[in-house]
Every structure is written in structure tokens, then in C-alpha cells.
């Protein structure tokens, strides 16, 4: 039997999935330059196909209005989070998507428990919520810079050395709660190499139109590259779960990262398989009454006209 679209996508993303329970060492387990033997031209065509698929499924998700999707993007600076969101979501109805970016927490956010600000920005039913950085910052930047943990004013017992193990468990439990309540949690780590980051920073410095993207803080963060790689490896090992697995997307080639992200999100939507609601007996009768009333005003071809328009497109 020929492989269908869903199977093809599932097979494409399989090598990127972090097997729940496995121990990840980013440096050896995932290659930031992997591209599945695709050429860029093939990649561009595939992305266009992916964008169309997302449009179709997002419309169905919104119409069904019972399930939602949370898409979390994590990465080092210059890995292409913004461009990935822009390209992958380029075909979908903006009304059904909500993007939230998370920066250094405000005083108000610090007055709450650490998951509070993420909880406030979750998607509604029928929506795709994109987290540009996410609750995972709480076990990444906060781990690499202990002063951020101090600012969170945890009670003494919350500050012990087990804090990271505990956070992994709390995050896993929170995601499980979301999944069990109808919200799929999709997690993508854009895996950039240190050399590619260096090149991208240099081009942000050299090209005037890219200067605005560069901040000297980015180079300061880069000095902690090793600590981040360790924090990412441990986080991926501890929080890739059967209900919300991580995908490690090779990010040295932007075009390839975008297809992967589209495929991973597409796969999640296909698993939900949202359906347009069908109308009941009474609503059908009401539709027919309305149709008769409109027809009395003059001739009209309804669905036939729509089909004709679609063929012309
Ligand atoms: P871009 O640079 O493309 O605008 P960005 O996501 O890097 O996007 P910035 O404003 O440059 O945005 O950086 C946000 C910073 O906030 C990052 O360095 C991130 O690690 C930091 N951050 C996010 N969450 C937390 C947190 N909970 N505690 C401390 N720092 C955080
Ligand atoms: Mg930045």
C-alpha cells in the first residue's frame, strides 16, 4: 500500500524525536547540519506543501473548537526562532494563532510561582499557541545563571540542590495535565552549532540592515555555550515524555529547520484530526428555510459558484 501523507510526515520527523527515557548528549546525538538528503529546492517545495497543510488543519481545529495546540520553541540566540515562526505560520489564519515571547521576568511575574506567566498565555480551545521561548527557560537560563533563581524568592526548601529535578517533574506533570485536558504540547529545540552562531552574529554586525538584531548580551551569553549545552542535554533527557516528546531540529540550515518545524506541527494536528462540526436535524431544516428565502429574491448558484472559483484559482 502506498504510504499516505501522515505516514510520510511521521517517518520524516522520527529521527528528530527524543525517545522518552533516553539520555541525550547533544554534542554526539544530534547533528545541527543534518538535512535528510534533501536539496534546498526540494526543501522549499516541501515547505510550501507543509504550509498549505497547516492552513487546512488549523481551519478545522478552529471550527471544531474543542482541542488546542501549544507549540514551544527553544533555542540559543540566532538559531532562527523568529524566522521559523514567520515562515511556518505564513499560510494560516492569524486569528487562530497566538504568539507569546518570554523575556526576563517582570516584578509582577516574579511575585508569582514560576509557571504562572506561561499559564496566563496558554492557547484557547481551537487555537494554536506559540511560545517563543517557554517555561523551559526556567531550567535553562535560570540554571546557567543562579542569580535568576535567587530573584525568584523561593522558600528555603524550594532552593535545595534538587530544584532542577523537581522542576522537570513539575513541568512534566503540568504538560500532562494540559494534554489530558485537550491541549497537545509540541516541543521543538532548534539545534544550532557554535560555529554557525558565530557566523550569524558576524553577519548581524557586518550588515547594517541586520544590526538591530544584534545585542552585545548575545555574545556574553555565548561564553556560557558549554553550560547551556549541558542544561539542554539534561532537560531533553528529563522532559521528553510519551505525552509531550521533544524534537531536536537541525538548525544550521534555516530552510531545513523550517520544514522540520512545519512537519512536527503538522503531525500533531493530524494526530488530533479535527473535523468540521456537522449540523443537526433542526439546524439543517433552518438552513433549508433560509435557502428558500434567498432563492425567492433571485437566482443564485451557491456551492456551484464556489467550486467554479476554486477551479479558476
Ligand atoms: P530576539 O533576540 O530574536 O529578539 P530573544 O528571545 O532572544 O529574541 P531577547 O529580548 O533578546 O529575546 O532575550 C530575552 C532574554 O530573556 C533571553 O536571554 C532569555 O534567556 C531571557 N529569559 C527568558 N526567560 C527568562 C527567565 N525566566 N529568567 C531569566 N531570563 C529569562
Ligand atoms: Mg536575543
Amino acid at each position: 500500500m502506498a504510504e499516505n501523507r501522515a505516514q510520510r510526515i511521521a517517518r520524516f520527523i522520527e529521527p528528530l524525536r527524543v525517545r522518552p527515557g533516553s539520555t541525550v548528549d547533544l554534542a554526539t546525538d544530534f547533528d545541527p547540519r543534518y538535512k535528510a538528503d534533501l536539496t534546498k529546492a526540494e526543501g522549499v517545495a516541501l515547505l510550501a506543501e507543509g504550509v498549505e497543510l497547516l492552513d487546512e488543519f488549523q481551519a478545522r481545529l478552529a471550527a471544531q473548537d474543542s482541542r488546542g495546540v501549544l507549540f514551544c520553541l527553544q533555542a540559543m540566540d540566532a538559531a532562527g526562532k523568529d524566522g521559523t515562526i514567520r515562515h511556518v505560520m505564513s499560510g494560516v489564519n492569524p486569528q487562530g494563532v497566538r504568539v507569546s515571547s518570554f523575556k526576563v521576568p517582570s516584578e509582577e511575574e516574579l511575585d508569582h510561582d514560576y509557571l504562572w506567566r506561561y499559564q496566563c498565555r496558554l492557547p484557547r480551545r481551537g487555537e494554536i499557541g506559540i511560545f517563543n521561548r517557554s517555561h523551559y527557560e526556567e531550567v535553562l537560563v535560570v540554571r546557567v545563571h543562579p542569580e535568576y533563581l535567587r530573584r525568584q524568592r523561593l522558600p528555603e526548601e524550594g532552593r535545595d540542590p534538587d530544584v532542577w529535578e523537581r522542576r522537570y517533574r513539575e513541568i512534566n506533570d503540568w504538560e500532562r495535565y494540559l494534554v489530558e485536558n485537550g491541549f497537545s504540547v509540541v516541543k521543538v529545540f532548534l539545534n544550532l552549532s557554535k560555529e554557525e552562531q558565530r557566523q550569524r552574529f558576524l553577519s548581524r554586525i557586518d550588515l547594517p540592515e541586520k544590526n538591530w538584531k544584534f545585542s552585545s548580551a548575545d555574545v556574553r551569553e555565548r561564553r556560557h555555550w558549554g553550560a547551556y549545552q549541558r542544561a539542554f542535554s539534561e532537560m531533553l533527557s528529563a522532559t521528553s515524555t510519551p505525552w509531550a516528546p521533544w524534537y531536536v531540529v537541525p538548525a544550521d540550515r534555516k530552510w531545513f529547520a523550517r520544514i522540520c518545524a512545519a512537519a512536527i506541527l503538522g503531525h500533531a494536528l493530524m494526530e488530533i484530526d479535527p473535523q468540521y462540526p456537522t449540523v443537526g436535524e433542526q439546524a439543517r431544516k433552518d438552513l433549508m428555510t433560509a435557502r428558500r428565502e434567498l432563492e425567492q429574491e433571485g437566482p443564485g448558484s451557491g456551492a456551484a459558484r464556489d467550486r467554479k472559483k476554486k477551479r479558476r484559482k
Side-chain angles (χ1 to χ4, degrees):
M1 202 175 73
E3 202 180 26
N4 68 25
R5 186 168 64 167
Q7 289 166 330
R8 197 159 39 92
I9 293 177
R11 193 165 51 83
F12 178 72
I13 65 174
E14 181 55 29
L16 316 177
R17 195 170 63 97
V18 177
R19 207 164 21 83
S22 61
T23 304
V24 177
D25 176 10
L26 263 186
T28 54
D29 296 345
F30 292 95
D31 176 8
R33 294 193 63 74
Y34 170 76
K35 62 181 180 81
D37 291 331
L38 285 178
T39 63
K40 187 169 178 180
E42 288 166 335
V44 170
L46 270 180
L47 181 62
E49 209 183 293
V51 165
E52 217 170 277
L53 177 137
L54 290 179
D55 182 30
E56 173 196 330
F57 275 81
Q58 189 252 340
R60 278 160 52 175
L61 186 80
Q64 179 180 284
D65 204 18
S66 65
R67 305 270 305 265
V69 176
L70 174 64
F71 184 77
C72 303
L73 255 187
Q74 282 296 149
M76 293 296 285
D77 286 305
K81 287 185 276 92
D82 292 351
T84 301
I85 296 171
R86 199 170 62 244
H87 281 81
V88 171
M89 305 313 287
S90 60
V92 307
N93 180 351
Q95 292 209 78
V97 182
R98 166 194 300 237
V99 184
S100 305
S101 303
F102 295 98
K103 316 268 178 187
V104 177
S106 67
E107 285 305 319
E108 190 193 8
E109 288 168 344
L110 287 170
D111 272 342
H112 292 268
D113 61 282
Y114 75 95
L115 287 178
W116 177 77
R117 65 172 181 162
Y118 309 99
Q119 176 79 33
C120 291
R121 313 277 276 277
L122 287 173
R124 295 164 193 237
R125 300 193 187 279
E127 277 185 346
I128 299 174
I130 299 182
F131 279 5
N132 181 352
R133 299 188 186 271
S134 69
H135 47 298
Y136 283 98
E137 290 294 327
E138 305 294 337
V139 290
L140 294 167
V141 67
V142 179
R143 183 166 194 178
V144 172
H145 297 283
E147 64 272 22
Y148 285 132
L149 189 64
R150 282 195 289 278
R151 287 186 66 206
Q152 294 188 353
R153 310 201 308 272
L154 298 175
E156 209 165 316
E157 62 275 19
R159 276 179 266 146
D160 60 31
D162 294 337
V163 60
W164 310 117
E165 284 305 322
R166 205 172 43 238
R167 284 195 172 190
Y168 294 147
R169 172 176 55 74
E170 289 159 353
I171 287 173
N172 288 341
D173 287 348
W174 185 60
E175 291 177 355
R176 186 170 196 154
Y177 160 82
L178 293 174
V179 170
E180 287 177 352
N181 283 279
F183 293 89
S184 306
V185 180
V186 184
K187 305 184 301 201
V188 166
F189 167 56
L190 296 180
N191 186 25
L192 185 73
S193 70
K194 194 174 184 192
E195 173 55 17
E196 182 61 24
Q197 189 195 52
R198 190 177 74 90
Q199 298 293 349
R200 290 187 191 176
F201 281 167
L202 283 172
S203 97
R204 288 179 177 190
I205 292 167
D206 290 349
L207 301 173
E209 71 276 18
K210 287 195 178 176
N211 284 172
W212 65 274
K213 283 193 186 179
F214 185 77
S215 137
S216 46
D218 292 349
V219 171
R220 278 202 302 278
E221 264 336 83
R222 178 179 164 82
R223 293 182 202 138
H224 300 285
W225 185 272
Y228 271 110
Q229 294 297 102
R230 283 192 294 281
F232 272 116
S233 298
E234 216 176 282
M235 170 279 267
L236 291 166
S237 312
T239 61
S240 198
T241 54
W243 54 91
W246 271 103
Y247 290 89
V248 177
V249 163
D252 276 13
R253 294 182 174 87
K254 289 179 181 172
W255 60 267
F256 189 69
R258 289 165 190 166
I259 318 172
C260 294
I264 292 162
L265 181 55
H267 174 73
L269 287 164
M270 288 173 118
E271 292 229 298
I272 296 175
D273 195 21
Q275 304 294 327
Y276 288 111
T278 48
V279 297
E281 196 48 39
Q282 185 52 46
R284 243 234 83 77
K285 280 192 189 136
D286 293 347
L287 284 177
M288 288 307 125
T289 313
R291 186 172 220 293
R292 273 194 300 280
E293 190 177 325
L294 291 168
E295 277 172 342
Q296 275 159 15
E297 289 180 27
S301 40
R305 191 179 72 148
D306 287 349
R307 279 196 291 273
K308 218 157 142 192
K309 270 194 192 155
K310 220 172 190 168
R311 271 201 303 276
R312 270 204 301 270
K313 261 211 269 179

